[in-house]
Amino acid sequence: MKRLVTTLLVLIGLSTGAAMAGSTYPDIPKAVGAPHPEGNDYMRLNHMRLLRHDRNLTVHDGDRSIKYSIKECVACHAVMGPDALPISVQEKGHFCRNCHEFAAVKIDCFQCHNSKPEDGFIDLLKQNPPATDDEIQAYLDGMSQ
Amino acid sequence: MLSTLYAVLFYVATIILVVGTGMKVARYARTPAPLKIPVSPAPRTKRGVWFRMFREVAFFQSLFKSNRWIWIFAVLFHFGMLLVLLRHLRYFTQPVWWWVDLIQPIGVYASFAMLAGLGGLLLRRIVVPRIRYISNPSDYLMLALFLGIVLSGMSMKFLMPVDILGVKQFFLGLMRFQINELPTQPGVLIHLALVATLMIIFPISKLLHAPGVFFAPSRTQVDNARKFRHLSAWAKQLPPLPEGIPEPEEGK
């Protein structure tokens, strides 16, 4: 019995020691532009499949008129740095980086692709003001019906 | 509700795993080894025993000598599992340790090695008549449990992706004594329930061969019976030795 209690105390001590300060969930930066019609939950689980599927369509089959483009992902989800210009995946706070670091999943997209929006897409960002909380709430209400 | 259930399940399972295995290990450590029984060829020095135990644990030397087929499947399974387990550290560390980040992708392929090893070991129990004859329900249960864990895990990787951020948040929460919401995709629930089952039955199962190998006198004893008299703890309390017989080197 004494041994059991000691072990329990050690166990609790260890877990408390592991309890470091700080949030246990990555910060997900807000995107500009219309929300995904599939919903955020769907995109969180399946974005990698959509990207891979389209990679195969474009690279293997030569179809360049596909629904999703990594250029658009990067544009809508751009995070601005202190100089008000989009930051690259090399910098902390990049949209893809936060969650991927949390889950320890490597991104190989940006070995070839640009992680910052291209010039044409930056203009697009300027035309579309960021979605307000009300707009997003309205969209989510619409989704749940 | 489901999150609370799984949180309680994992706290209970962890306590049973740690306390139960600890008690078994304590019992192994106290069990007397009255005879000198190292399996030869055995090392004659303590350093040699350390080296032998390393070969046993790292390469499964005695299994390699006795049965090459089981050795192949055992190596596939155990080292696949090692990589897969290390890969899972990403759910319990924040920030993730750099070397976990490094081996994380390799663990994906290790799951196939694990599956092949388990499949081979299960096939052996079914196909080889004499092994089939001596196989108990618990032998099949362990293989089935591991197969269930591997298959449910792989299905989350390759078939139905799940919200791994939510899973990590749940387990980081458990380590901080708070209950965060657990994603309720079937893959997550099945995988975690099977893992908790494994943790609970570990201290009463054949899987105790993991700590047990370090307490096997046939492997851990030094082959020095001709040089020193072997005495177990209870025998030391007997009257002193007659003249001319050297004292034992250590208690083993």
Side-chain angles (χ1 to χ4, degrees):
Chain A
M1 194 60 215
K2 198 173 150 199
R3 193 169 56 236
L4 197 126
V5 171
T6 328
T7 321
L8 269 182
L9 285 178
V10 169
L11 200 77
I12 291 169
L14 283 179
S15 340
T16 322
M20 298 149 293
S23 167
T24 57
Y25 203 74
D27 175 39
I28 302 177
K30 233 176 225 171
V32 295
H36 295 291
E38 298 89 349
N40 287 342
D41 287 339
Y42 178 85
M43 288 311 275
R44 262 169 217 165
L45 299 193
N46 294 296
H47 65 277
M48 66 298 266
R49 293 163 165 250
L50 300 175
L51 286 167
R52 200 180 306 136
H53 175 73
D54 292 351
R55 190 265 324 261
N56 291 346
L57 280 184
T58 311
V59 179
H60 299 174
D61 303 343
D63 179 2
R64 304 202 67 91
S65 60
I66 45 172
K67 193 172 163 196
Y68 300 96
S69 155
I70 193 167
K71 284 182 189 169
E72 289 167 48
C73 304
V74 163
C76 276
H77 289 288
V79 174
M80 302 301 167
D83 55 357
L85 286 173
I87 58 174
S88 82
V89 76
Q90 254 75 38
E91 291 160 79
K92 280 207 179 299
H94 186 270
F95 179 81
C96 303
R97 188 172 157 156
N98 279 2
C99 295
H100 274 259
E101 233 172 35
F102 186 70
V105 179
K106 280 201 179 61
I107 317 171
D108 53 9
C109 303
F110 301 123
Q111 289 171 4
C112 304
H113 288 282
N114 193 349
S115 62
K116 296 195 271 189
E118 288 162 16
D119 289 345
F121 281 99
I122 293 180
D123 294 339
L124 188 90
L125 292 185
K126 286 175 187 158
Q127 286 163 16
N128 291 342
T132 63
D133 287 352
D134 291 341
E135 281 170 16
I136 291 172
Q137 192 53 50
Y139 164 75
L140 288 176
D141 292 343
M143 281 294 297
S144 59
Q145 279 164 12
Chain B
M1 182 61 212
L2 212 56
S3 305
T4 317
L5 190 76
Y6 269 77
V8 172
L9 179 66
F10 268 91
Y11 280 131
V12 171
T14 307
I15 289 171
I16 290 177
L17 175 71
V18 174
V19 176
T21 310
M23 283 166 73
K24 278 285 166 78
V25 166
R27 203 163 100 190
Y28 294 159
R30 282 200 307 264
T31 305
L35 300 175
K36 205 62 165 170
I37 50 167
V39 171
S40 60
R44 296 187 187 172
T45 60
K46 194 144 193 188
R47 188 193 282 177
V49 168
W50 278 92
F51 193 52
R52 178 190 212 179
M53 286 309 291
F54 172 76
R55 292 196 312 267
E56 190 64 43
V57 172
F59 309 119
F60 305 163
Q61 187 190 34
S62 58
L63 186 60
F64 183 81
K65 286 177 179 171
S66 63
N67 190 319
R68 210 58 49 86
W69 272 109
I70 310 176
W71 181 83
I72 291 172
F73 293 134
V75 163
L76 280 174
F77 167 66
H78 283 92
F79 290 99
M81 182 167 68
L82 178 66
L83 278 171
V84 168
L85 282 178
L86 292 177
R87 172 176 135 86
H88 279 73
L89 282 177
R90 66 186 175 137
Y91 292 108
F92 305 95
T93 52
Q94 179 57 30
V96 179
W97 301 330
W98 66 269
W99 59 270
V100 175
D101 205 45
L102 206 66
I103 59 165
Q104 200 274 111
I106 309 170
V108 178
Y109 304 104
S111 64
F112 287 98
M114 229 177 136
L115 191 65
L118 282 171
L121 292 173
L122 182 64
L123 214 62
R124 158 179 170 263
R125 289 214 176 272
I126 296 170
V127 173
V128 184
R130 68 178 192 285
I131 303 295
R132 184 179 181 156
Y133 183 76
I134 60 166
S135 292
N136 288 324
S138 82
D139 296 326
Y140 291 109
L141 174 76
M142 282 303 142
L143 288 173
L145 192 56
F146 273 112
L147 273 173
I149 291 171
V150 172
L151 288 175
S152 61
M154 288 175 85
S155 81
M156 286 188 282
K157 178 71 203 169
F158 299 108
L159 299 177
M160 306 172 295
V162 298
D163 181 11
I164 59 170
L165 300 186
V167 174
K168 176 162 181 175
Q169 199 194 12
F170 176 76
F171 278 103
L172 286 181
L174 287 191
M175 290 164 71
R176 290 158 176 74
F177 295 109
Q178 46 182 275
I179 298 175
N180 294 328
E181 203 177 328
L182 179 70
T184 50
Q185 282 110 352
V188 178
L189 298 183
I190 294 171
H191 190 66
L192 292 184
L194 290 175
V195 169
T197 312
L198 178 69
M199 290 164 76
I200 289 168
I201 61 176
F202 185 89
I204 50 166
S205 71
K206 61 188 282 197
L207 303 179
L208 281 170
H209 66 266
V213 66
F214 298 101
F215 297 94
S218 56
R219 309 261 171 253
T220 59
Q221 282 185 345
V222 187
D223 184 15
N224 56 2
R226 279 160 237 85
K227 224 170 170 185
F228 300 100
R229 189 178 176 211
H230 176 70
L231 271 185
S232 52
W234 57 267
K236 280 182 187 156
Q237 294 162 6
L238 298 175
L241 297 172
E243 287 285 318
I245 301 176
E247 287 296 323
E249 192 179 34
E250 30 77 32
K252 283 191 174 163

